[in-house]
Amino acid sequence: MPKNRAPILMALTGIALSGCLASTEKLPMLPEPEGERSFIVGWQADRAGISDKEVHKSLLAKYNRAVETAASEMGWTLKPRILTNASNLSTTFDPAKYRSAALYGISAPDLGCEVTVNEDERVSSNCLISVNVGGLNAMETPEGVEVGSADSWAFGEAMRHGITLKSSDERKLPVLAFSKLVSASLPGSIYLYLPQDDRGFWLHQGQRIPASTD
């Protein structure tokens, strides 16, 4: 199936033109988020001989490694939770509709986060990290984005890529500190958005970038 490499969204093009600066300076070309949830946008190299499904699996591996690294630096112990239907890669052939997920319980006594393993080996916990990898869109690699390839797979807000720290009992968790560590472990072509401080902001390679120039 031929790939359509026209720019996928003005929002993504905006990120591309802003470059991949690990800086606290404002990047006016970053898109204006449409929702009130955290998400990931970015690009992944599209190289000959590497299928779109392999690219998707590679992103899941990178997200999981970033989560494990960040949790270790926070002093947390993670316990993977088994998800039924965690991926649709075996049944879906449209890269824009790919979905994969992972879920971790957190053991962190200082935060009151506990993991319980039941007799049937099912894991329950009151503090969770969810990892979601959504769809991919083929496009020419924009100027300023370093992925090592002239072509790339792009992913935006609507494609539901995200790494989220949350609790089931409303306890306060160090979302910003954790997200900065996650961001620092992600490739330079990936940005993480957090809807905090009323307006929200971006994280890039561990640095905070304002979401607006206002």
Side-chain angles (χ1 to χ4, degrees):
M1 181 182 296
K3 297 174 181 176
N4 178 10
R5 296 201 176 279
I8 59 172
L9 288 172
M10 182 61 69
L12 283 179
T13 303
I15 297 179
L17 295 177
S18 71
C20 291
L21 300 176
S23 167
T24 56
E25 295 178 2
K26 291 180 179 179
L27 300 178
M29 300 304 288
L30 283 171
E32 188 67 29
E34 297 179 356
E36 294 297 326
R37 60 180 178 82
S38 63
F39 61 89
I40 290 172
V41 298
W43 297 263
Q44 181 84 345
D46 181 5
R47 297 187 175 93
I50 301 178
S51 71
D52 44 34
K53 290 187 178 182
E54 290 175 306
V55 170
H56 183 93
K57 291 176 181 178
S58 174
L59 278 170
L60 179 60
K62 289 176 180 178
Y63 293 172
N64 283 334
R65 283 197 299 270
V67 164
E68 291 164 3
T69 298
S72 177
E73 293 190 36
M74 296 290 291
W76 303 343
T77 300
L78 298 183
K79 181 69 175 180
R81 294 184 57 174
I82 296 175
L83 295 175
T84 57
N85 302 319
S87 175
N88 68 354
L89 294 185
S90 63
T91 58
T92 302
F93 301 97
D94 180 358
K97 296 180 180 180
Y98 288 165
R99 297 290 184 270
S100 289
L103 187 65
Y104 299 89
I106 302 169
S107 176
D110 58 324
L111 295 176
C113 295
E114 301 176 344
V115 173
T116 302
V117 181
N118 302 322
E119 291 183 0
D120 59 1
E121 297 188 353
R122 291 178 62 87
V123 175
S124 60
S125 54
N126 60 333
C127 302
L128 301 167
I129 300 171
S130 62
V131 179
N132 294 286
V133 187
L136 302 170
N137 249 327
M139 67 180 296
E140 294 181 2
T141 302
E143 182 180 354
V145 175
E146 299 297 331
V147 297
S149 174
D151 296 325
S152 63
W153 293 99
F155 34 101
E157 178 176 1
M159 291 184 168
R160 297 189 178 276
H161 289 240
I163 297 172
T164 306
L165 172 64
K166 56 188 177 181
S167 68
S168 61
D169 54 9
E170 305 300 323
R171 72 179 54 250
K172 187 175 179 61
L173 298 175
V175 173
L176 178 56
F178 171 74
S179 298
K180 282 185 174 181
L181 292 173
V182 167
S183 172
S185 294
L186 292 173
S189 57
I190 293 178
Y191 293 78
L192 190 157
Y193 175 76
L194 284 181
Q196 294 190 350
D197 297 345
D198 297 327
R199 298 185 62 108
F201 54 87
W202 295 90
L203 293 173
H204 180 237
Q205 296 189 314
Q207 299 294 323
R208 177 170 166 164
I209 302 171
S212 170
T213 57
D214 293 344

